[in-house]
Amino acid sequence: MISEIRHSTVSVSNLAATRQFYENVFDYVVHAEEVVSGSAFQQLWSLPDKMAGEVVVMGPRDADSGLLRLVQFNSPGKLYWGDYSSMNDYGHYALNVRVPKIHAAIADICENGGRSKSEPTHWTVTPTLSAWDSISYDPDNIMLDVFELETAPGSVLSDYDGRPSSLQTVAVHSSDACRSACFYAALGYRPLYNKLLENMESFFHFPSGTAMHNINMMMPAKPGIGRLEIAQYVGWPGRSQQDQAVPPALGILGISLETDDLDSTEILLRSIGTRPAGKRVETGIPGLGNITARSYYGPDEERLEFFQRF
């Protein structure tokens, strides 16, 4: 069995400042911290030789999934998404957090070193789910999709404790949303919703004729956190970010999924044509303890770290 997203590895330029940002804005706490380096992380993260990273794992106090794995490397890097002018490129691009009050959250983001791109927009997602959604950025200009949900009885997301959430989703731009959804379905994910948004070019500032195919994938046992949001800009092809999304570049470098049987998971991944990103390793990692792990590339060469505890 494979889990929802346990950790999202995010490279930052100033760990102390970013840690304070997530503490102040989302009330996140530190779950673990450590310095990592060496051959295991060269395989898992494509960490260059002799490079080290200071890691802080953060999230809500009692959370064990949808956690932020913030890393500051001992060599400077630039945001691999640049100024987001190539929004159609492929790979992990945004962290999505549910908040109780959207306007208060945006104010907190701006007061703590981040910035806001847009005022909240109301979307009807499904008959039992709508959202006030907005785009903001953390101090490193890493994109944050911060939203307030309105749920009706029967919604799988109606169970909410009223606090800022763990990462509800990590968003990935895809060249083919249906292909990506089939890949993650093979891992056990199921669609929460599947929508094609057309005639929205002026709102999204898309080229004429572009549509957005959006598929939100969840693990049925934990639909509220650790989901994957697949977005395809139909009619506006992009490029892989595989070579850019590696240390010490800033941004979302990958996601981490737990398995109770790594051998079987590797057999599954090979059977669906998944390409490994490095060798299998045994190591200790902050917040997880001792693990056996291996990284693979997803359908659009996004990095996926599969691990088993021992």
Side-chain angles (χ1 to χ4, degrees):
M1 181 178 293
I2 298 170
S3 74
E4 67 282 354
I5 298 170
R6 293 287 195 219
H7 292 178
S8 180
T9 302
V10 181
S11 172
V12 302
S13 63
N14 185 324
L15 188 60
T18 305
R19 170 177 170 169
Q20 186 175 48
F21 173 85
Y22 285 99
E23 287 174 340
N24 292 347
V25 174
F26 300 120
D27 200 27
Y28 282 4
V29 300
V30 173
H31 289 250
E33 51 187 320
E34 193 176 325
V35 175
V36 301
S37 63
S39 60
F41 292 93
Q42 291 170 18
Q43 297 298 325
L44 286 178
W45 298 355
S46 293
L47 186 71
D49 188 31
K50 298 182 180 178
M51 187 176 290
E54 185 179 354
V55 176
V56 171
V57 178
M58 301 189 73
R61 187 171 301 278
D62 53 354
D64 61 2
S65 284
L67 298 179
L68 272 173
R69 181 193 283 159
L70 301 175
V71 189
Q72 181 180 348
F73 296 104
N74 60 354
S75 181
K78 295 182 179 180
L79 184 67
Y80 71 84
W81 280 100
D83 62 357
Y84 293 94
S85 58
S86 298
M87 282 293 296
N88 52 321
D89 285 349
Y90 310 134
H92 295 120
Y93 75 97
L95 306 171
N96 300 12
V97 181
R98 181 178 181 177
V99 295
K101 297 295 180 183
I102 185 64
H103 288 95
I106 293 173
D108 287 342
I109 288 169
C110 295
E111 290 171 5
N112 285 277
R115 63 187 178 92
S116 176
K117 179 182 179 181
S118 61
E119 286 296 312
T121 302
H122 191 262
W123 298 100
T124 298
V125 182
T126 71
T128 61
L129 182 67
S130 61
W132 287 98
D133 196 13
S134 69
I135 298 297
S136 297
Y137 302 91
D138 79 359
D140 280 303
N141 282 325
I142 296 165
M143 187 175 288
L144 303 174
D145 186 330
V146 179
F147 56 92
E148 177 184 345
L149 289 186
E150 298 171 343
T151 60
S155 170
V156 297
L157 300 183
S158 59
D159 185 16
Y160 180 52
D161 64 8
R163 300 179 297 166
S165 71
S166 299
L167 300 179
Q168 288 237 326
T169 72
V170 176
V172 60
H173 279 158
S174 172
S175 59
D176 185 331
C178 291
R179 181 187 66 165
S180 290
C182 288
F183 170 84
Y184 287 101
L187 303 185
Y189 284 79
R190 296 294 179 263
L192 174 62
Y193 60 81
N194 184 341
K195 297 177 71 71
L196 181 65
L197 303 175
E198 297 180 287
N199 303 315
M200 300 293 290
E201 293 94 330
S202 60
F203 179 84
F204 287 115
H205 304 291
F206 289 163
S208 178
T210 303
M212 176 184 278
H213 192 179
N214 187 256
I215 306 176
N216 198 293
M217 304 289 289
M218 66 177 184
M219 280 297 186
K222 281 195 175 181
I225 57 174
R227 301 193 306 275
L228 192 80
E229 182 178 0
I230 301 166
Q232 177 192 358
Y233 294 145
V234 182
W236 189 20
R239 301 165 299 175
S240 167
Q241 295 279 55
Q242 174 191 326
D243 294 337
Q244 287 72 42
V246 293
L250 308 181
I252 304 168
L253 302 185
I255 59 174
S256 181
L257 310 172
E258 185 169 6
T259 173
D260 58 5
D261 187 339
L262 186 58
D263 290 336
S264 295
T265 296
E266 289 207 77
I267 292 170
L268 169 63
L269 292 168
R270 287 196 296 269
S271 75
I272 58 178
T274 312
R275 184 165 58 95
K279 297 178 181 178
R280 185 166 172 165
V281 300
E282 291 187 359
T283 188
I285 196 164
L288 298 177
N290 294 323
I291 62 169
T292 302
R294 192 172 190 182
S295 289
Y296 284 80
Y297 292 117
D300 288 285
E301 300 179 316
E302 67 271 26
R303 186 177 291 263
L304 311 174
E305 174 189 303
F306 295 89
F307 70 91
Q308 180 178 355
R309 304 185 208 224
F310 66 88

